[in-house]
RNA sequence: GGGUGCAUAGCUCAGCGGUAGAGCACUCGCCUUACAAGCGAGGGGUCACUGGUUCGAACCCAGUUGCGCCCACCA
């Protein structure tokens, strides 16, 4: 047992205890426990970057408080930590960090040397795919170490032997096996079709990764001559450059203005292509002229029309976002000349060019009218998404399967959400799904699809002849490994094979975090002990991605819910209540705040916020936490400095002491109930309010008696030490450092492995206790303090006469605390008088003569 | 446009049927043998607005306004 320092301090507590917890494996998961005795958390793997964001820390600290509570309740907590190092963010970071880019045609260079490049240096040298992946792994492992250090400093009670990375071998194996099983059951499939495409990253993008942004556009009004003569048909478009891809016009079937046109042919301006006019209910009479141009493809509605009306495919935009160089086959004559002006241009460039051509030709009616429009972007992208035709892998998600959709909605209702209203976001997402989940990405750093394709004797790839990897061989890299029954010499040869070039979307891996961490494939014993998990904590913005996709994979694989509870944390706002974001340059990182307020101060701030509630990054609130931690140190020093050995409940005989413990019993019951319901903030609030009252009123009342010893003094000392033990444990989940420090002064072992307090521990010290004693005495003491303050006297100033008038019943209660009240108020004479209402009269002694 | 959450002291937030709360900030005091990085006291609020339910509403219901977020919206 350590000695109590003369002046206790928070300085150095993080370093001291984080190291000791690590060395002693304080939070090691004991896998010998049975399922009922285990609490399993499906920890979110934070995206690896240079430093943690304060918002990330905010959410993880709340989860840690829950984990610590469950551990103290006697459950073995399975609390892993993952690193999301998979996918695009890492690729982009490697590109910028080392000034390289992946070029699969470059051969592997085993001696490649790269160095960090200066910021803003945009030059990127091409390197091979294996070299590129090496760099991704090198960079992420550096960041992982830094992250772990920061988390430990903030006191996360993670078992650091249970870390995982979304790109490591186990994750690749689990991802590939789950995919193959989806494929066998018909839940995964490949399809060729129009796909939302990012022209910069040159990859397909899934519905969940779209976001709308407002951009400046312009309506161009165009005239289409009718083949049969008569007035031309006018349309409005914001994408005139797609005129070359126009395959039809469309109008609403009930629009009387245009009914006569349906079934007729018109001619595209400039390009001279004859296209039909169709009727379709998705055409909106009040948009533009009421007649829309259908192109392959300008937007998702075009895709619907194209499918339902059986229109031809006339795409010209390539995967790099540029108009193809060759003149499209459907153009002749003047159309060929017009196209020459567009070939090789980007959409933006083509738009300007075509507007000029249209103006010259007279097909443009009036000038383009500027407008603001909402356009779909890849959330990480810089240019609008285009729609290109490509072959992609999908997993069924209920978008086109009513039974599956209904099952997933039912699963969402079965899950316990904290707060409950977050469930609605999930339901809306599932109800609004309109495409299956696109899981393939045309990128490099990620989990490859474990499939190959046969190459026909003609040399053509037979995309329908899929060769799948054997389960036991996983993980495989089809770019490096030959499929079963083939050898490497047959790669790319007629009669041979070719590997699938794509990788899986990062969510296709992270949707399997429960399977990855639980040992689904390679550790069935562990899997049985922790799966399904108890808790999935996460942010609100990834309900539609991570939460939904995890639930989907578990449903498809096992037909079960992967966890019982989901907690959704709130956002961190800057002090002006604006959402923090990098673009606003108002992002705070946690470590400087830890420096200033201590980890306990930061944790206190995070745990004062209700689950799911957006919270301002308020330094004043963190200072409050720091103050509380300091107070815990000092109050503990006082209690433990009373000298005697810790008292027992039998020593607590005085009414004031019993009243305090009776009130504490209620606090313990309430805090326990709150924590069980994931309301860590209520538990903290209850404990904290009690603690300050305990310090200000109870300790002040009994201090002198405790010093004096005897039976009465022993009663106070015992009550104080019982209360301290309980309070330290109540605070332990939120203030792990200061509580552990104090615990180490007088107890064996860690407070974080101590039993969560129960009021039954001191039940025999509070039987027949009247909790009002403390309140009544505290109120009178308050009157004494007020009188001294009003007369600008020290609180140690003598009260020559204290006269309390009150109802007999309250007087009787007050008399139980008479001696303590005399000591605390420095009262010489105390008089009680019965009366109908409370009146307190305080006579202060005249100022003492100044000693000569 | 649909959904959802929020609106309580100058600020940040608890409270969610039973006499309006905390911290910060502000004012005035106090070296008081746990703590001056402390302690005591004080001022400060039609609980957004309008109706309703109730003996009683900050709290429940309906509507209104403002703010945030999610989804839809590319002619």
């Amino acid at each position: 047992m350590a000695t109590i320092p003369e002046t206790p301090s928070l300085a150095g507590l993080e370093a001291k205890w984080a190291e000791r917890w690590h060395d002693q494996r304080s939070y090691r998961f004991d896998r010998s426990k049975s399922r009922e005795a285990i609490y399993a958390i499906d920890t979110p793997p934070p995206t690896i970057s240079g430093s943690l964001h304060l918002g990330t820390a905010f959410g993880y600290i709340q989860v840690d408080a829950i984990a610590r509570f469950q551990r103290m309740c006697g459950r073995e907590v399975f609390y892993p930590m993952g690193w999301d190092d998979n996918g695009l963010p890492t690729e982009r970071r490697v590109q910028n960090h080392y000034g390289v880019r992946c070029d699969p045609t470059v051969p592997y260079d085993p001696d490649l040397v790269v160095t960090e490049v200066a910021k803003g240096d945009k030059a990127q040298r091409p390197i091979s795919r294996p070299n590129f992946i090496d760099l991704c792994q090198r960079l992420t492992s550096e960041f992982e170490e830094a992250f772990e250090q920061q988390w430990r400093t903030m006191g996360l009670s993670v078992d650091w032997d249970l870390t995982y990375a979304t790109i490591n071998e186990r994750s690749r194996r689990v991802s590939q096996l789950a995919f193959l099983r989806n494929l066998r059951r018909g839940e995964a499939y490949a399809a060729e079709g129009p796909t939302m495409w990012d022209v910069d990253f040159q990859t397909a993008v899934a519905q969940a990764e779209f976001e709308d942004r407002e951009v400046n556009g312009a309506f161009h009004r165009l005239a289409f001559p009718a083949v049969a003569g008569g007035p031309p048909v006018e349309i409005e478009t914001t994408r005139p450059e797609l005129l070359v891809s126009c395959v039809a016009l469309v109008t609403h079937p009930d629009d009387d203005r245009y009914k006569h046109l349906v079934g007729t042919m018109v001619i595209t301006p400039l390009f001279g292509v004859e296209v039909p006019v169709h009727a379709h209910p998705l055409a909106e009479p009040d948009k533009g002229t009421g007649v829309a141009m259908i192109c392959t493809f300008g937007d998702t509605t075009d895709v619907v029309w194209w499918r339902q009306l059986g229109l031809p495919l006339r795409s010209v935009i390539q995967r790099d976002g540029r108009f193809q160089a060759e003149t499209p086959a459907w153009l002749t004559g003047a159309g060929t000349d017009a196209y020459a002006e567009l070939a090789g241009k980007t959409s933006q460039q083509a738009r300007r060019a075509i507007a000029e051509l249209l103006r010259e030709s007279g097909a443009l009616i009036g000038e383009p009218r500027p407008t603001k429009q909402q356009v779909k972007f890849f959330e990480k992208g810089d240019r609008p998404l285009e729609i290109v035709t490509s072959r992609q892998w999908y997993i069924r998600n209920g978008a086109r399967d009513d039974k599956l959709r209904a099952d997933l909605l039912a699963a969402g209702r079965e899950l316990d959400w904290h707060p409950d209203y977050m469930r609605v976001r999930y339901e809306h997402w599932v109800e609004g799904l309109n495409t299956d989940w696109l899981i393939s990405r045309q990128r490099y750093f990620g989990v490859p699809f474990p499939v190959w394709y046969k190459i026909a004797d003609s040399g053509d790839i037979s995309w329908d002849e899929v060769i799948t990897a054997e389960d036991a061989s996983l993980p495989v890299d089809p770019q490096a490994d030959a499929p079963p029954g083939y050898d490497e010499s047959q790669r790319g040869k007629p009669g041979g094979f070719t590997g699938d070039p794509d990788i899986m979307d990062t969510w296709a891996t992270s949707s399997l975090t429960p399977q990855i961490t639980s040992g689904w494939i390679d550790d069935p014993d562990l899997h049985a002990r922790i799966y399904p998990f108890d808790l999935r904590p996460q942010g609100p913005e990834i309900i539609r991605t991570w939460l939904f996709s995890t639930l989907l994979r578990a449903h498809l694989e096992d037909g079960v819910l992967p966890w019982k509870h989901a907690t959704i944390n709130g956002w961190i706002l800057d002090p002006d209540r604006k959402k923090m974001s990098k673009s606003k340059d108002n992002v705070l990182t946690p470590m400087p705040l830890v420096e200033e307020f201590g980890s306990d101060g930061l944790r206190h701030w995070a745990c004062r916020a209700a689950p799911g509630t957006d919270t301002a990054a308020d330094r004043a609130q963190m200072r409050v936490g720091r103050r509380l931690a300091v107070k815990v140190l000092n109050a503990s020093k006082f209690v433990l400095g009373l000298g005697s050995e810790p008292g027992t409940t039998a020593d607590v005989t005085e009414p004031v002491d019993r009243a305090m413990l009776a009130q504490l019993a209620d606090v313990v019951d309430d805090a326990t109930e709150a924590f069980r319901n994931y309301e860590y903030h209520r538990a903290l609030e209850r404990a904290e309010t009690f603690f300050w009252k305990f310090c200000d009123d109870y300790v002040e009342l009994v201090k002198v008696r405790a010093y004096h010893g005897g039976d009465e003094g022993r009663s106070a000392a015992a009550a104080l030490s019982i209360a301290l033990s309980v309070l330290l444990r109540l605070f332990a989940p939120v203030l792990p450092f200061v509580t552990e420090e104090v615990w180490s002064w007088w107890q064996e072992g860690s407070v974080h492995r101590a039993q969560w307090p129960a009021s039954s521990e001191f039940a025999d010290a509070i039987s027949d206790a009247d909790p009002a004693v403390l309140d009544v005495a505290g109120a009178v003491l308050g009157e004494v303090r007020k009188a001294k303050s009003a007369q600008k006297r020290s609180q140690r100033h003598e009260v020559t006469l204290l006269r309390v008038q009150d109802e007999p019943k309250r007087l009787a209660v007050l008399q139980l605390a008479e001696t303590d009240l005399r000591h605390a108020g420095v009262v010489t004479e105390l008089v009680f008088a019965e009366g109908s209402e409370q009146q307190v009269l305080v006579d202060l002694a005249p100022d003492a003569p100044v000693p000569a």
Side-chain angles (χ1 to χ4, degrees):
Chain A
M1 249 171 276
T3 50
I4 304 169
E6 193 53 40
T7 48
S9 156
L10 298 181
L13 291 189
E14 287 86 5
K16 171 180 173 183
W17 289 109
E19 191 186 335
R20 201 161 303 183
W21 292 331
H22 189 244
D23 291 347
Q24 299 180 349
R25 298 287 173 81
S26 301
Y27 308 117
R28 198 173 65 90
F29 173 67
D30 175 359
R31 59 176 293 164
S32 69
K33 292 290 189 336
S34 64
R35 183 65 190 86
E36 307 77 59
I38 287 172
Y39 186 83
I41 302 173
D42 182 20
T43 318
T47 300
I48 284 297
S49 68
S51 69
L52 281 171
H53 183 299
L54 183 60
T56 312
F58 176 73
Y60 280 72
I61 286 168
Q62 293 168 344
V63 175
D64 183 65
I66 291 166
R68 288 178 180 277
F69 166 73
Q70 293 289 346
R71 191 180 290 114
M72 292 176 73
C73 287
R75 296 178 78 178
E76 194 60 26
V77 177
F78 181 78
Y79 191 7
M81 178 60 73
W83 311 117
D84 187 11
D85 44 16
N86 192 351
L88 267 179
T90 299
E91 287 192 19
R92 196 150 57 165
R93 206 160 285 116
V94 165
Q95 288 172 354
N96 296 335
H97 202 76
Y98 298 117
V100 297
R101 74 183 155 80
C102 180
D103 182 344
T105 64
V106 172
Y108 178 63
D109 175 0
D111 305 315
L112 182 78
V113 176
V114 292
T115 48
E116 283 184 39
V117 296
K119 252 197 165 149
D121 186 351
K122 297 262 180 180
Q124 295 186 333
R125 63 193 262 225
I127 63 171
S128 75
R129 178 173 159 139
N131 282 122
F132 189 74
I133 289 172
D134 282 349
L135 289 179
C136 289
Q137 272 159 348
R138 187 205 294 186
L139 193 64
T140 53
S141 65
E142 282 173 27
F143 284 140
E144 284 165 16
E145 263 173 59
F147 266 41
E148 180 175 333
Q149 194 52 48
Q150 291 180 43
W151 282 138
R152 287 223 293 261
T153 303
M154 279 183 268
L156 287 206
S157 60
V158 158
D159 180 347
W160 293 102
D161 289 338
L162 300 176
T163 55
Y164 67 99
T166 54
I167 195 64
N168 72 13
E169 179 173 334
R170 195 192 228 187
S171 296
R172 296 203 306 273
R173 247 168 94 201
V174 167
S175 302
Q176 291 188 337
L177 181 65
F179 168 77
L180 289 177
R181 291 172 63 97
N182 289 139
L183 188 61
R184 279 174 217 150
R185 292 190 299 255
E187 295 150 2
Y189 63 92
E192 172 107 17
T195 310
M196 297 304 282
W197 186 269
D198 186 285
V199 298
D200 290 312
F201 289 107
Q202 297 203 30
T203 181
V205 176
Q207 187 183 354
E209 295 169 295
F210 302 167
E211 70 181 24
D212 290 345
R213 293 185 206 158
E214 192 176 75
V215 300
N216 291 315
F219 288 116
H220 296 69
R221 200 176 182 100
L222 309 183
F224 283 59
V227 170
V233 182
E234 294 181 8
I235 63 109
E236 283 198 335
T237 179
T238 54
R239 299 203 61 183
E241 73 277 15
L242 290 176
L243 184 59
V244 63
S245 295
C246 178
V247 291
L249 300 188
V250 66
T251 184
H252 194 276
D254 299 335
D255 193 335
D256 291 336
R257 295 172 297 173
Y258 301 114
K259 267 186 177 162
H260 65 283
L261 292 176
V262 175
T264 68
M265 301 295 282
V266 295
I267 300 169
T268 60
L270 294 179
F271 299 102
V273 177
E274 283 192 24
V275 297
V277 181
H278 285 280
H280 192 278
L282 278 180
E284 295 183 38
D286 55 350
K287 279 193 179 171
T289 63
V291 185
M293 166 171 91
I294 304 177
C295 308
T296 54
F297 298 96
D299 65 25
T300 48
T301 317
D302 282 341
V303 177
V304 174
W305 282 326
W306 173 75
R307 280 213 176 96
Q308 297 191 0
L309 300 173
L311 299 167
L313 184 64
R314 291 180 186 152
S315 298
V316 292
I317 297 183
Q318 305 172 119
R319 295 183 177 195
D320 61 0
R322 292 178 181 277
F323 280 59
Q324 66 184 50
E326 321 82 65
T327 304
W330 61 89
L331 296 183
T332 53
T336 314
D337 300 337
Y339 189 80
E341 302 289 324
L342 305 180
K345 288 191 159 73
T346 65
S347 291
Q348 282 285 347
Q349 293 163 344
R351 188 173 306 171
R352 281 193 291 273
I354 196 112
E356 201 45 48
L357 292 175
L358 287 165
R359 188 177 289 119
E360 287 167 6
S361 73
L364 181 65
I365 300 172
E367 277 304 299
R369 289 180 292 113
T371 179
K372 300 273 187 198
Q373 53 183 155
Q374 297 290 322
V375 179
K376 276 196 203 319
F377 282 71
F378 175 34
E379 58 192 1
K380 298 183 174 73
D382 299 319
R383 283 196 281 174
L385 291 170
E386 295 287 357
I387 299 175
V388 306
T389 303
S390 61
R391 182 184 170 282
Q392 303 287 346
W393 284 105
Y394 295 86
I395 290 179
R396 298 185 197 284
N397 64 3
R400 301 197 281 168
D401 178 342
D402 290 343
K403 166 74 167 67
L404 179 56
R405 194 195 297 261
D407 287 348
L408 292 169
L409 285 169
R413 285 190 291 274
E414 200 188 320
L415 181 63
D416 246 319
W417 297 75
H418 307 280
D420 189 63
Y421 59 77
M422 291 291 182
R423 179 196 319 271
V424 181
R425 299 196 186 189
Y426 170 87
E427 287 178 353
H428 286 166
W429 175 251
V430 177
E431 284 163 2
L433 284 167
N434 53 40
T435 61
D436 278 335
W437 179 17
L438 194 165
I439 57 165
S440 45
R441 294 291 182 277
Q442 289 65 53
R443 300 300 305 176
Y444 314 105
F445 189 55
V447 179
F449 286 86
V451 298
W452 300 259
Y453 306 95
K454 291 185 182 171
I455 298 181
D457 294 336
S458 65
D460 293 335
I461 298 171
S462 308
W463 296 106
D464 294 332
E465 294 191 72
V466 177
I467 312 164
T468 56
E470 284 160 1
D471 290 358
S473 69
L474 303 176
V476 297
D477 179 358
Q479 298 301 313
D481 305 323
Y486 291 80
D487 65 58
E488 192 56 35
S489 67
Q490 292 169 279
R491 182 181 295 276
K493 303 275 170 57
F497 68 90
T498 186
D500 189 305
D502 291 350
I503 60 165
M504 295 183 197
D505 169 30
T506 187
W507 296 113
T509 297
S510 49
S511 59
L512 296 164
T513 50
Q515 289 80 1
I516 292 168
T517 57
S518 70
W520 175 52
I521 298 179
D522 49 11
D523 196 343
D525 173 73
L526 180 65
H527 186 68
R529 288 171 198 272
I530 62 180
Y531 187 88
F533 284 56
D534 292 276
L535 176 65
R536 156 59 72 84
Q538 63 164 71
E541 79 285 10
I542 49 175
I543 290 174
R544 61 178 177 158
T545 49
W546 195 36
L547 193 145
F548 170 69
S549 62
T550 311
L551 204 151
L552 172 69
R553 299 306 282 278
H555 181 81
L556 294 176
E557 192 58 48
D558 306 307
V560 301
L561 206 53
W563 348 265
K564 294 185 193 72
H565 300 270
T567 54
I568 308 296
N569 60 256
W571 290 112
I572 292 308
L573 311 171
D574 72 9
D576 300 327
R577 293 204 60 79
K578 299 269 164 36
K579 186 182 157 187
M580 270 192 199
S581 68
K582 283 182 186 140
S583 59
K584 292 189 191 113
D585 199 28
N586 59 359
V587 175
L588 285 174
T589 55
M591 296 323 284
L593 296 167
V594 166
E595 276 298 306
E596 189 171 353
F597 304 107
S599 286
D600 286 341
L602 184 72
R603 291 175 63 101
H604 177 270
W605 160 76
C607 291
R608 283 296 298 224
T613 303
D614 294 350
T615 303
D618 184 3
R619 303 165 62 84
Q621 210 56 47
M622 298 175 197
R623 200 168 296 122
V624 171
R626 182 187 167 81
R627 217 170 69 104
L628 173 64
V630 170
K631 193 74 171 178
V632 167
L633 286 177
N634 286 315
S636 301
K637 182 190 162 205
F638 164 73
V639 171
L640 300 177
L642 289 172
S644 56
E645 68 280 9
T648 67
T649 52
D651 295 319
V652 184
T653 51
E654 292 298 305
V656 175
D657 304 330
R658 294 165 69 86
M660 183 275 292
L661 290 180
Q663 293 191 5
L664 179 58
D666 284 345
V667 172
V668 171
D669 292 344
D670 288 355
T672 304
E673 178 67 13
F675 250 127
R676 280 199 186 123
N677 293 326
Y678 293 82
E679 296 176 313
Y680 49 83
H681 70 302
R682 279 178 197 257
L684 171 60
E685 200 271 340
R686 199 75 170 82
E688 193 176 351
T689 301
F690 176 87
F691 176 68
W692 284 104
K693 194 173 134 188
F694 167 82
C695 290
D696 296 343
D697 287 351
Y698 175 72
V699 171
E700 292 304 322
L701 275 170
V702 306
K703 196 190 270 184
V704 174
R705 172 158 55 89
Y707 281 138
H708 287 175
D711 285 349
E712 292 84 0
R714 193 157 41 248
S715 171
L720 283 164
S721 80
I722 291 167
L724 181 65
S725 163
V726 169
L727 284 164
L728 288 175
R729 285 176 286 155
L730 285 178
F731 283 134
V734 176
L735 310 176
F737 292 98
V738 74
T739 53
E740 185 77 321
E741 172 70 12
V742 171
W743 198 256
S744 76
W745 294 345
W746 65 313
Q747 306 272 358
E748 295 294 342
S750 169
V751 70
H752 302 300
R753 288 284 181 179
Q755 180 64 42
W756 181 255
S759 52
S760 57
E761 287 173 27
F762 49 98
D764 51 334
I766 60 176
S767 54
D768 302 326
D770 182 355
V773 178
L774 189 56
D775 298 328
V776 173
V780 174
L781 182 59
E783 290 298 321
V784 173
R785 287 169 174 162
K786 193 188 290 189
K788 290 178 179 176
S789 275
Q791 296 177 47
K792 303 192 176 183
R793 294 300 198 281
S794 155
Q795 293 298 324
R796 298 307 306 156
H797 197 95
E798 183 193 348
V799 174
T800 48
L801 174 66
L802 175 62
R803 182 177 179 280
V804 182
Q805 173 189 298
D806 211 336
E807 296 164 7
K809 205 171 151 191
R810 286 169 61 88
L811 280 183
V813 169
L814 183 60
Q815 279 164 359
L816 294 171
E818 180 179 345
T819 314
D820 289 341
L821 188 57
R822 280 174 182 273
H823 287 313
V826 197
V827 176
T828 307
E829 188 176 358
L830 178 55
V831 176
F832 298 106
E834 292 190 4
S836 57
E837 60 182 26
Q838 193 191 54
Q839 265 184 13
V840 179
L841 189 134
V842 185
D843 281 348
L844 299 187
D847 281 330
V850 179

